[in-house]
Amino acid sequence: MGGGAAEAGYEWWWWERWNSPKVPKMLTTIRTAFCCAAANTVRKVPVVLQRGAAGTMLVAGDSRWTAYLPDRFFGSAPRETEMVGRYWMWEVPRVVRSLRGAADITVVRADRMTGRMIPWMMGGGTSICVPEWVRMAAPVPSEGHRFASSQARRDISVIRRHGLGWRTSQDERELAVFIERDYWPYMRRRYGEAAHLRSRAWLRRRFANGGILWVERGGEPVAGVVFDVEKGRLRYLAVACAGADERLLGIGAVSATYLFCFEKARMMGLRTLDMRNCRPCLGDGLHAAKRKWGGRLVRPDDLTHDWHVSWKPGNANAQRFLRESPLVCRDAGGYYTVTAGGDEGRELETGRCEAGEALETDGVIRRPIESTRLE
């Protein structure tokens, strides 16, 4: 997955082992149902009430997997956290229903099997289904292609001004240096507790089918990305600045990994750059970075959990949050954005909206998003 908090692994170590090409696709539904049922019967769900200057949020789910939305809602301001209790998943809707009147926004994390029952079990209010992660991919452009995004064109100018180049390597010693010196320290420094680190074994397995692309200036590495090749796609998996030095972001070091991965894919005759996962928020930095290089949402994704977000119609704090952090949501018809009225321009900046008018209800604007399929 392409950098940032998008480096999330599956919740169970054995899920990733099962989720391999060796497992027939016909077993996917059975596999997912088994994993979800197992989790729901062996682990209780914490329910907490968080209060701060931005308002109040009721959250059901382990903080490792639900912290993203509260962090965006409260920002860096202090907040109080009250532990309501720990409950079995089938008890959560009843508990949340009894407490939701005290919260501006309610968030329930559930697997996709259980999540089908959440909306009618919750009852009342406005509710949306927000995928925990969204996957993005971009078509490999032809040589000399002019990117539609003005931000991408500016990044290309910065990359050229600093004389950045690239090379690839399949030397495992260079991979070891990248992991120890660059990747792990960079992720911890940039994302703190929210960082999800890929293991050495995971990176080594993917590296065997691809390599590492180094971005260099004057022969010295300034950034690197581990990639592999699968089904005619180059997959962008783990990125970092050299020496975990975030100052290198200013010379376009990480932006160059996207540009040069396109070049590498084009040289290999590949059609798609699989950018992997990022958070479902248009205001998220990693989401915006993938989008400016032509990234589109991929359907169907291969993830297992969603956040079920609800609020009372007309709630001022909820509308402020949606205005500042428009969310990507999903339903049976595909993906759409949700934001509060009065900030429609934020959605239009994505360049990914299909033709057609937005649907506005209770001060909330919903607009379909164009998505693609990975063959």
Side-chain angles (χ1 to χ4, degrees):
M1 302 176 191
E7 300 293 334
Y10 287 103
E11 188 162 354
W12 308 283
W13 68 269
W14 37 268
W15 169 267
E16 182 180 302
R17 180 166 296 180
W18 278 22
N19 191 37
S20 71
K22 296 180 181 179
V23 178
K25 290 188 175 180
M26 63 181 296
L27 296 180
T28 298
T29 301
I30 298 174
R31 177 186 63 200
T32 302
F34 172 77
C35 294
C36 296
N40 289 338
T41 55
V42 301
R43 185 168 50 210
K44 290 187 175 183
V45 177
V47 177
V48 300
L49 195 59
Q50 300 187 27
R51 301 181 181 90
T56 306
M57 181 175 280
L58 180 65
V59 182
D62 193 298
S63 61
R64 292 175 301 170
W65 311 106
T66 58
Y68 182 77
L69 289 182
D71 286 348
R72 290 200 69 89
F73 182 68
F74 294 104
S76 58
R79 70 185 98 155
E80 298 179 0
T81 300
E82 175 188 343
M83 170 61 77
V84 177
R86 304 182 71 90
Y87 305 90
W88 295 112
M89 191 63 211
W90 55 83
E91 298 177 304
V92 168
R94 173 183 57 80
V95 174
V96 170
R97 220 169 32 238
S98 67
L99 296 171
R100 65 189 304 184
D104 297 306
I105 298 178
T106 299
V107 179
V108 177
R109 180 181 186 261
D111 62 77
R112 292 191 173 176
M113 300 294 287
T114 307
R116 296 175 184 178
M117 301 180 291
I118 292 294
W120 68 266
M121 292 174 72
M122 296 289 293
T126 304
S127 179
I128 55 177
C129 179
V130 181
E132 194 170 50
W133 301 91
V134 290
R135 187 173 177 181
M136 300 185 80
V140 175
S142 59
E143 190 170 358
H145 171 80
R146 179 179 172 84
F147 285 93
S149 167
S150 59
Q151 293 177 324
R153 296 196 296 270
R154 284 196 297 269
D155 284 358
I156 292 173
S157 297
V158 172
I159 290 166
R160 290 174 176 168
R161 186 166 65 249
H162 288 91
L164 303 186
W166 65 280
R167 67 178 177 87
T168 59
S169 172
Q170 292 181 307
D171 187 338
E172 288 200 4
R173 292 172 296 182
E174 293 191 32
L175 174 66
V177 170
F178 172 77
I179 294 172
E180 296 283 351
R181 183 196 67 187
D182 305 335
Y183 174 63
W184 285 343
Y186 175 80
M187 293 292 291
R188 293 189 182 105
R189 183 174 300 173
R190 187 161 178 78
Y191 299 99
E193 294 181 0
H196 295 268
L197 304 179
R198 288 300 194 184
S199 69
R200 189 192 309 273
W202 189 94
L203 289 168
R204 189 180 294 121
R205 288 197 300 272
R206 272 61 184 182
F207 178 84
N209 294 322
I212 184 168
L213 184 147
W214 290 110
V215 176
E216 296 184 327
R217 181 174 63 170
E220 294 295 323
V222 294
V225 59
V226 174
F227 70 91
D228 73 355
V229 178
E230 180 184 83
K231 299 179 181 179
R233 307 188 295 265
L234 189 147
R235 301 198 304 168
Y236 184 105
L237 299 175
V239 67
C241 290
D245 187 353
E246 294 186 39
R247 293 174 296 180
L248 295 173
L249 295 171
I251 66 170
V254 169
S255 289
T257 62
Y258 291 98
L259 179 64
F260 295 148
C261 276
F262 279 130
E263 292 189 15
K264 175 65 175 176
R266 188 165 53 244
M267 290 174 57
M268 298 177 70
L270 305 177
R271 296 176 298 175
T272 304
L273 176 62
D274 185 352
M275 297 175 166
R276 306 300 291 167
N277 296 346
C278 58
R279 288 301 194 181
C281 176
L282 300 188
D284 183 84
L286 185 62
H287 188 113
K290 295 177 188 291
R291 199 169 62 241
K292 73 181 175 185
W293 291 106
R296 295 183 177 183
L297 296 176
V298 171
R299 65 181 196 279
D301 56 50
D302 57 355
L303 301 175
T304 61
H305 286 73
D306 296 304
W307 296 320
H308 295 266
V309 183
S310 61
W311 63 92
K312 291 182 178 179
N315 184 285
N317 289 331
Q319 290 193 344
R320 174 196 55 79
F321 172 64
L322 293 173
R323 189 176 299 112
E324 295 173 354
S325 301
L327 298 176
V328 176
C329 309
R330 70 173 188 90
D331 59 17
Y335 290 108
Y336 59 95
T337 59
V338 171
T339 187
D343 195 28
E344 191 172 348
R346 169 69 73 86
E347 293 182 286
L348 298 178
E349 289 175 6
T350 68
R352 294 288 167 262
C353 294
E354 296 177 339
E357 295 183 359
L359 173 65
E360 181 169 359
T361 56
D362 297 321
V364 175
I365 299 174
R366 304 183 185 218
R367 183 186 295 276
I369 308 177
E370 183 180 354
S371 58
T372 186
R373 288 186 180 273
L374 292 181
E375 301 298 333

